[in-house]
Amino acid sequence: MQITNDILYIGVNDHKVDLFEGQYRVPNGMSYNSYLIMDEKIAVMDTVDQHFTHEWLDNLEKALNGRKPDYLVIQHMEPDHSANIATFMNLYPQVQIVSSAKAFAMMQNFFCTDFAERQVVVGEGSTLSLGKHTLAFVTAPMVHWPEVIVTYDVAEKVLFSADGFGKFGALDRTEPWADEARRYFIGIVGKYGNQVQALLKKAATLDIRMICPLHGPVLTENLGYYLGLYNTWSSYGVEEEGILVAYTSVYGHTAKAVELLAEKLRAKGCPKVVVTDLARSDMSQAVADAFRYGKVILATTTYNADIYPFMKEFINHLTERNFQNRTIGFIENGSWAPLAARTMKAMLGCCKNLVFSDATVTIKSALNEVSAAQLEALAEEFCRAYTASDRPEAVECDLSALFNIGYGLYVVTSNDGIKDNGLIVNTVTQVTNTPNRIAVTINKQNYSHHVIKQTGIMNLNCLSTEAGFDVFQRFGFHSGRNTDKFAGMTTYRSANGLIYLPRCVNSYLSLKVENYVDLGTHGMFICSITEARILSHVETMTYTYYQNNVKPKPQTAGKKGFVCKICGYVYEGDELPADFICPLCKHGAADFEPIA
């Protein structure tokens, strides 16, 4: 299969495998991808699984068309990609093998040789010229083995991404990319989010036009979509608004409670309710869904003074993969000593930024009047954000939302008559209470300033400590004039027709501009309140909390240069060009400071 004029696909499809890595069901098989770069020198990119040696070698021989390869580039030493190294090296004795120092140590373990006389050791910043093609190597330790490198073809602007951007499923089967890529990423790479984030920062400096992974299809269009999903998954952000209810049930009473809860959640406006019986469902799919949605409810029984085994296994899968940044609710069942909620909460104690619901449902054998009321309370708490907009505007205007205003961080939403916009601000103050007036100050260079000055209305969304860095990337790093800030989001609207955020906020206020003060570089909008809603009781996100807990810490150790104060990107060099634009957040040189 021709990828470009000079790059050919020589991989194979595997429909014999039923469990990938001995645990992940793959009903549509797997692909083991290998590529050939034809130039003055010829490079083979990785090998394939041992069960497909001859099929792969046939593909290679046909693609070579009588020529001989010069290099074998090994990016990753897992056997589904490296099993044929020794066979290949014996078949082509003139070939040199290109890989990382750690990979050669692993080759010694796998093949009892590290090919010492034929090694080309590469690391961060190394390059290899094939003629008109130059391969630039980037280290990717623990994505998801320590020896991993990825390779960038400078000429074709192709990223050979090792296991990154891979998915379950053979290439001769058609299925949605995200579903199997999510299950693949969370199951296999999920623990290493920080390492993937580091690799994405490196990738942001490259002009990538095509991604060639070691599993799954070559990605050639809409790369921002795939990069965006990887950023969400690796930062443990919420991909989609919804609630996962994962349960186990012995005699059916817990299952009945879950069915009733799901009905209540849907009736109260939850856009997506996913119910999973952990004893019967694919465990890897259940784990992927827990990372996909922002809210999870766990329901199980006390069992041998512990919890039911399938729930215990599920929670272990979550904690092993750095599960975080979610809202969790509990349903427990126990005929004489219900302990499940306490046990589950203790198991999740190592996870970061989990918010546990106030309501917990305790069932003693079967639902009764008390536990049914608890179930209603749990549904109400989890759906507060969805039901807020349905309440009457004037009579139930909850002005206690004003108490959430501090020196905090907010998303201001507006609409220019055609599209919605959103902006991060930190200059919000309640200036009077008779009548209630709010002052919002916005830089004149921001598109939102122009829109609000024209329309006279805005929504103020008070961010809570549930907000991850992805929220700040979405609303703070791009201009709404040329970016859809709400792409891929489920949106909700207040009575003034503007969007309010259903997650990561504890309240929102709809504001009408009553007066405007020109402050030179900024404009101050003095506003009255037309609507105010409490969505949760999670603590307000302050600027200090953002700096200490949300904003990624720049990796500056041993480096000389400048660091972006907005996103932490590090520019290495003695001088920062005056016209430099941060490749991550798109802020200019004025927002950089020297590395201390």
Side-chain angles (χ1 to χ4, degrees):
M1 181 171 65
Q2 196 122 10
I3 306 299
T4 70
N5 286 336
D6 298 333
I7 301 175
L8 292 87
Y9 177 87
I10 56 171
V12 298
N13 288 315
D14 181 0
H15 288 292
K16 297 178 181 178
V17 62
D18 60 339
L19 293 177
F20 183 71
E21 291 192 352
Q23 60 175 314
Y24 301 105
R25 298 178 192 171
V26 283
N28 286 329
M30 286 296 297
S31 70
Y32 309 120
N33 297 343
S34 176
Y35 306 91
L36 188 67
I37 305 175
M38 302 289 284
D39 203 339
E40 295 172 21
K41 300 283 189 178
I42 296 176
V44 178
M45 306 298 294
D46 299 286
T47 78
V48 300
D49 185 86
Q50 62 178 342
H51 296 97
F52 297 88
T53 299
H54 295 293
E55 184 177 340
W56 175 66
L57 290 175
D58 288 347
N59 292 344
L60 172 61
E61 184 177 3
K62 182 178 179 181
L64 286 170
N65 194 25
R67 296 183 64 186
K68 299 294 184 183
D70 299 280
Y71 299 105
L72 173 63
V73 179
I74 295 296
Q75 301 180 107
H76 185 21
M77 280 298 298
E78 275 194 291
D80 54 333
H81 309 301
S82 67
N84 284 290
I85 291 175
T87 299
F88 178 89
M89 297 299 282
N90 288 333
L91 190 62
Y92 296 102
Q94 80 286 353
V95 164
Q96 290 181 289
I97 187 167
V98 181
S99 200
S100 66
K102 285 187 172 66
F104 283 113
M106 292 183 180
M107 289 179 207
Q108 180 70 48
N109 296 335
F110 276 114
F111 306 114
C112 298
T113 177
D114 60 2
F115 307 96
E117 296 180 356
R118 301 165 68 182
Q119 286 186 10
V120 178
V121 180
V122 295
E124 185 74 28
S126 298
T127 60
L128 178 68
S129 176
L130 303 179
K132 70 178 182 180
H133 291 260
T134 296
L135 304 183
F137 299 98
V138 177
T139 59
M142 298 316 300
V143 186
H144 56 114
W145 278 24
E147 87 297 353
V148 173
I149 56 174
V150 300
T151 308
Y152 179 65
D153 179 357
V154 178
E156 301 268 24
K157 302 187 185 306
V158 174
L159 180 68
F160 296 92
S161 59
D163 269 350
F165 301 97
K167 65 177 285 293
F168 296 131
L171 298 189
D172 55 1
R173 295 291 187 270
T174 301
E175 60 191 352
W177 184 89
D179 291 343
E180 289 299 79
R182 180 189 307 108
R183 192 163 66 93
Y184 176 91
F185 179 93
I186 298 302
I188 295 173
V189 192
K191 180 178 180 179
Y192 304 105
N194 289 338
Q195 290 83 354
V196 175
Q197 282 283 298
L199 181 58
L200 288 175
K201 287 185 177 182
K202 294 178 183 180
T205 66
L206 303 174
D207 179 10
I208 301 172
R209 297 183 182 176
M210 186 181 299
I211 298 175
C212 292
L214 288 178
H215 295 294
V218 174
L219 307 178
T220 59
E221 297 178 352
N222 196 18
L223 297 187
Y225 168 74
Y226 305 108
L227 289 164
L229 282 177
Y230 254 62
N231 182 57
T232 298
W233 297 337
S234 59
S235 62
Y236 307 102
V238 175
E239 179 187 346
E240 185 177 339
E241 191 65 28
I243 301 172
L244 169 68
V245 185
Y247 77 95
T248 63
S249 186
V250 181
Y251 296 109
H253 294 100
T254 306
K256 286 184 178 179
V258 165
E259 291 170 4
L260 179 58
L261 174 66
E263 291 176 7
K264 291 178 179 291
L265 295 174
R266 295 185 181 104
K268 293 178 184 294
C270 181
K272 188 74 173 288
V273 180
V274 177
V275 178
T276 298
D277 179 352
L278 295 174
R280 293 174 172 82
S281 301
D282 182 342
M283 185 63 70
S284 68
Q285 183 62 60
V287 172
D289 282 339
F291 283 82
R292 181 177 186 174
Y293 301 106
K295 299 174 182 177
V296 179
I297 296 173
L298 305 176
T300 195
T301 53
T302 300
Y303 194 81
N304 289 336
D306 203 328
I307 59 174
Y308 203 72
F310 289 105
M311 178 61 74
K312 192 170 188 177
E313 180 187 357
F314 178 63
I315 295 176
N316 283 336
H317 277 293
L318 298 183
T319 58
E320 287 171 3
R321 289 162 175 80
N322 281 337
F323 186 64
Q324 56 189 274
N325 303 326
R326 297 297 189 274
T327 299
I328 309 296
F330 299 104
I331 299 174
E332 61 179 358
N333 195 343
S335 294
W336 59 91
L339 302 170
R342 185 172 68 185
T343 301
M344 289 187 285
K345 186 177 290 188
M347 290 181 69
L348 293 167
C350 61
C351 299
K352 299 177 183 177
N353 300 327
L354 296 187
V355 177
F356 297 116
S357 62
D358 294 328
T360 294
V361 180
T362 298
I363 303 168
K364 293 186 175 179
S365 298
L367 276 175
N368 57 24
E369 186 175 338
V370 173
S371 53
Q374 293 171 344
L375 204 68
E376 174 67 25
L378 183 64
E380 175 65 24
E381 183 175 350
F382 266 67
C383 290
R384 189 173 287 130
Y386 312 126
T387 57
S389 61
D390 295 331
R391 299 170 185 167
E393 177 185 354
V395 177
E396 297 186 11
C397 190
D398 189 351
L399 293 178
S400 63
L402 294 172
F403 298 132
N404 289 321
I405 296 179
Y407 185 56
L409 289 163
Y410 311 87
V411 174
V412 169
T413 53
S414 58
N415 185 286
D416 63 6
I418 298 175
K419 65 179 183 298
D420 295 294
N421 193 28
L423 169 75
I424 297 285
V425 300
N426 66 347
T427 46
V428 175
T429 308
Q430 181 185 357
V431 290
T432 64
N433 64 358
T434 310
N436 286 299
R437 290 288 188 265
I438 303 296
V440 181
T441 304
I442 300 176
N443 192 307
K444 289 181 180 178
Q445 294 184 6
N446 290 316
Y447 185 58
S448 292
H449 177 277
H450 170 72
V451 172
I452 295 167
K453 206 159 186 301
Q454 297 293 319
T455 63
I457 58 173
M458 71 181 93
N459 277 355
L460 181 68
N461 298 266
C462 302
L463 289 173
S464 74
T465 52
E466 291 178 317
F469 189 59
D470 61 311
V471 174
F472 295 90
Q473 289 175 304
R474 178 184 287 267
F475 294 109
F477 289 1
H478 310 282
S479 171
R481 183 178 287 278
N482 52 22
T483 302
D484 181 1
K485 299 280 186 90
F486 298 93
M489 288 183 64
T490 301
T491 57
Y492 298 84
R493 296 188 185 274
S494 55
N496 64 3
L498 299 181
I499 285 177
Y500 70 88
L501 303 186
R503 65 176 183 87
C504 301
V505 302
N506 54 28
S507 56
Y508 74 85
L509 300 95
S510 295
L511 305 180
K512 178 184 177 183
V513 178
E514 302 291 349
N515 197 4
Y516 175 80
V517 181
D518 192 326
L519 299 175
T521 59
H522 290 65
M524 178 183 289
F525 299 91
I526 310 298
C527 306
S528 60
I529 303 168
T530 60
E531 185 177 348
R533 306 292 181 191
I534 296 290
L535 302 184
S536 80
H537 298 289
V538 181
E539 186 178 353
T540 296
M541 170 80 71
T542 65
Y543 189 71
T544 300
Y545 185 92
Y546 167 77
Q547 291 288 338
N548 294 337
N549 300 284
V550 179
K551 178 181 175 182
K553 302 297 185 293
Q555 304 297 315
T556 60
K559 296 180 179 179
K560 181 180 179 182
F562 302 80
V563 60
C564 178
K565 293 183 288 186
I566 306 300
C567 68
Y569 175 80
V570 175
Y571 175 89
E572 295 188 67
D574 294 329
E575 293 186 9
L576 181 70
D579 59 351
F580 185 77
I581 300 297
C582 178
L584 293 184
C585 69
K586 311 306 179 187
H587 281 243
D591 289 312
F592 280 73
E593 60 185 3
I595 295 174

